[in-house]
Amino acid sequence: MEHQKSIIVLDFGGQYAHLIARRVRQCGVYSEIRDAETSAKDLKNAAGIILSGGPQSVYGDGSPQGDPEIFNLGIPVFGICYGLQWMVHTLGGEVTAGKVKEYGRAKLRLSNGKSKVTAGLPDEMTVWMSHGDEVTGLPDGFERIGTSDDCGNAFIAHTENSVYGVQFHPEVVHTEHGQDLIANFVGLCDADPWDIGSYVESIGDAIRKEVGDRKIFMMVSGGVDSTVAFVLLNKVLGTDRVQGLLVDTGMMRKDEVVLIGRAFEELGINNLRIEDASQHFLKKLIEVYEPEDKRWIIGDAFLSVQKRISAEMGLTMEDGWMLGQGTIYPDTIETGETKNADKIKTHHNRIPEIQQMMEEGLVIEPLRDLYKDEVRALGEELGLPHDLVWRHPFPGPGLGVRILCAQSPSKVDDSIDTRIAHAALPVQSVGVQGDGRSYRHAIALFNSDKYPNDECWNLATSIPNQSSTFNRVLMCTSHNSAPEFVFSPGYITMERADLLREADALVHRIMYDEGFYADIWQFPVVLLPFGTSEGGQSIVLRPVESQEAMTANAAVISQNALKRMTQELLSLNGIDMVFQDLTHKPPGTIEWE
Ligand code: XMP
């Protein structure tokens, strides 16, 4: 979509470009991310430009460079961290390796009244710093308007040209008044107002233009993004030009299919075909134990069901159909669509077959400009129920990645240096270490409260950092000392999926009941193939707090909620033990495989 008069974030390789763009949008102005190298010519319609941070030094080999001409466009510019340093370097100032590397919180002192960009901010505020190099000489026309103990030029301004730079990160929550500062900058830009309501008005025309007289076939997973995209396409094109397919894989949540079906029905959308393919999926998963094999088989089974049904229903390109996808903005950038963004993972909406179709103009992604919270707001705007659009994210392969499969117990020496009772679990799980993934054991801690104290939380950080055996630390919430573990080989079966569905549903019910659902980013409930009796299994509770799932903190939940969940889980037939996963990401991942 064409958004006139928006604010462009040039991506110099920081992990924060998305955060900056979201902060700008929260000020009611559209913002998007472009490559650092984008030419000034292509930026001349922007209302403002923000230069993001980045991990490099401006003097480093291959460090990202912008187009110096952007400073001659007469548009306000705001440089952050590396963005500030590149700006200073380019405009003839001086950047040197800092004597002191400054990471974390710092006190910023402002020379108040100096600039409109600091209007309303206090004289002193806590800011978040993360840098080695620093600005030691200002370019012509600039003045210093803020300092910290270790950084003389923490905030500089060329007021006449509306060009500003900060060494700290106003976009992160640890910076006090960071949002006010960004709002002040946005206020200096001549930007058009934007919100989700205005987006709905303009997106209709854009969709109709892109689709022409074709029709859309869309896979609906049950997740928020594809649900909202499907409703939007229906509203814009009418139900007779859209066809949805929801494949029940046998690994959906309890009542999920019914819930989605009912929500669509209430909106008058009757073109979603629900295909129960659970037996097809489960048959292919017999005696499959490796996590990557499971993912691959599930993905493949999806594709084959999709192909069979689209052929059956005559929904092919030759018949004038194109494919709709619920891809959202972070999915497009994570896959590396700007040059300096790290390629984190190839999103399933960007596999080669789909890329090829995109090049041929056969794919429409009506949410590709939106962040998750905006997709949710749009869903509500379109009339979807609040609870449905605010559901936690759920992985594509569903409960499949939460049913741990193993053929034999995996034993390991669990001697570690702590006086807290502990035991290694006879299974392994995935984690992240540096840039790679680890596949290691989990260790469980036991105490009389069956509730993690400070020492347990400390061990959750220190053990994975120091040990090459363990990547996860759990608290046992059902036992106060380690019992004898009884392992039962297991792959994905309907029986195990049904048991996990019940467990997952009761955990979610209690989370709602105790009123903390909205504070949690995601709460995987994982089934492990061992217990204390023959055929018995265990449950891991994995509540995490996060912004966009790149990093996550294991969430603290109340003793009362944990106790309720544990007791109810133990009353399920076949569940012997319950644990809470205390590991942050990194070194753990959110999911167990
Ligand atoms: P991890 O486990 O890598 O998860 O910390 C990060 C986010 O990605 C989700 N996830 C998946 N989503 N297919 C998906 O569609 C997958 O195979 C998959 N694996 C992880 C996970 O739920 C979390 O939100």
Side-chain angles (χ1 to χ4, degrees), residues 349-528:
N349 289 355
R350 287 284 182 280
I351 57 171
E353 201 174 329
I354 302 278
Q355 296 268 25
Q356 174 70 32
M357 286 176 67
M358 290 177 74
E359 275 161 35
E360 293 167 26
L362 294 171
V363 179
I364 179 159
E365 299 181 320
L367 308 180
R368 57 164 295 138
D369 292 336
L370 300 185
Y371 286 105
K372 193 91 187 180
D373 45 358
E374 295 163 345
V375 170
R376 291 180 157 143
L378 173 59
E380 286 197 83
E381 187 94 12
L382 294 170
L384 283 165
H386 175 90
D387 287 356
L388 192 134
V389 300
W390 284 96
R391 275 180 313 159
H392 293 163
F394 190 59
L399 296 179
V401 295
R402 296 181 180 170
I403 299 174
L404 226 75
C405 301
Q407 218 167 357
S408 55
S410 162
K411 297 247 165 67
V412 73
D413 174 17
D414 59 9
S415 47
I416 54 160
D417 186 18
T418 173
R419 49 192 186 81
I420 294 189
H422 57 271
L425 302 187
V427 290
Q428 293 183 296
S429 81
V430 168
V432 265
Q433 223 98 25
D435 287 339
R437 295 229 143 187
S438 66
Y439 197 54
R440 294 184 183 159
H441 282 82
I443 190 163
L445 308 175
F446 298 83
N447 67 15
S448 53
D449 284 348
K450 299 181 219 163
Y451 189 72
N453 55 24
D454 287 351
E455 204 171 349
C456 299
W457 283 106
N458 290 340
L459 286 171
T461 301
S462 62
I463 294 174
N465 282 343
Q466 287 158 16
S467 157
S468 53
T469 312
F470 301 108
N471 61 2
R472 271 177 209 276
V473 178
L474 313 184
M475 185 76 217
C476 185
T477 62
S478 58
H479 292 66
N480 52 20
S481 64
E484 192 73 37
F485 299 134
V486 181
F487 178 88
S488 309
Y491 50 83
I492 301 180
T493 58
M494 192 54 106
E495 207 184 347
R496 292 189 81 198
D498 282 341
L499 181 56
L500 183 55
R501 248 188 289 279
E502 287 305 322
D504 178 71
L506 84 79
V507 167
H508 279 76
R509 173 171 45 77
I510 295 174
M511 207 183 339
Y512 262 118
D513 229 40
E514 297 276 334
F516 66 96
Y517 187 89
D519 305 329
I520 298 286
W521 164 263
Q522 234 178 327
F523 197 145
V525 178
V526 183
L527 188 66
L528 306 183

Side-chain angles (χ1 to χ4, degrees), residues 91-164:
L91 295 175
E94 196 176 64
V95 177
T96 25
K99 288 187 290 300
V100 182
K101 291 206 188 303
E102 203 176 14
Y103 293 105
R105 288 185 169 78
K107 198 48 96 193
L108 176 79
R109 284 174 300 278
L110 287 173
S111 346
N112 249 351
K114 282 279 180 196
S115 171
K116 282 191 226 158
V117 83
T118 54
L121 300 183
D123 294 345
E124 266 197 16
M125 58 192 223
T126 301
V127 296
W128 186 258
M129 291 276 192
S130 162
H131 67 107
D133 292 0
E134 70 167 296
V135 171
T136 44
L138 300 187
D140 284 349
F142 278 80
E143 60 180 337
R144 161 198 294 197
I145 59 170
T147 57
S148 77
D149 284 344
D150 292 317
C151 180
N153 295 308
F155 199 150
I156 64 169
H158 190 307
T159 307
E160 200 183 321
N161 291 356
S162 293
V163 178
Y164 308 93

Side-chain angles (χ1 to χ4, degrees), residues 16-77:
Y16 296 119
H18 273 301
L19 222 46
I20 300 169
R22 280 180 59 198
R23 295 269 180 250
V24 173
R25 290 190 190 187
Q26 281 163 9
C27 301
V29 164
Y30 189 74
S31 177
E32 64 181 32
I33 300 170
R34 302 260 184 90
D35 281 333
E37 292 82 358
T38 305
S39 75
K41 204 164 75 326
D42 291 336
L43 293 169
K44 67 177 192 307
N45 289 329
I49 298 171
I50 300 182
L51 316 171
S52 85
Q56 305 216 38
S57 159
V58 277
Y59 299 113
D61 276 349
S63 60
Q65 301 294 323
D67 179 352
E69 285 301 312
I70 63 173
F71 298 105
N72 296 327
L73 292 172
I75 296 171
V77 180

Side-chain angles (χ1 to χ4, degrees), residues 120-122 124-126 170 173-183:
L121 300 183
E124 266 197 16
M125 58 192 223
T126 301
V173 288
H174 315 288
T175 291
E176 284 175 348
H177 302 286
Q179 181 66 23
D180 297 333
L181 177 54
I182 291 171

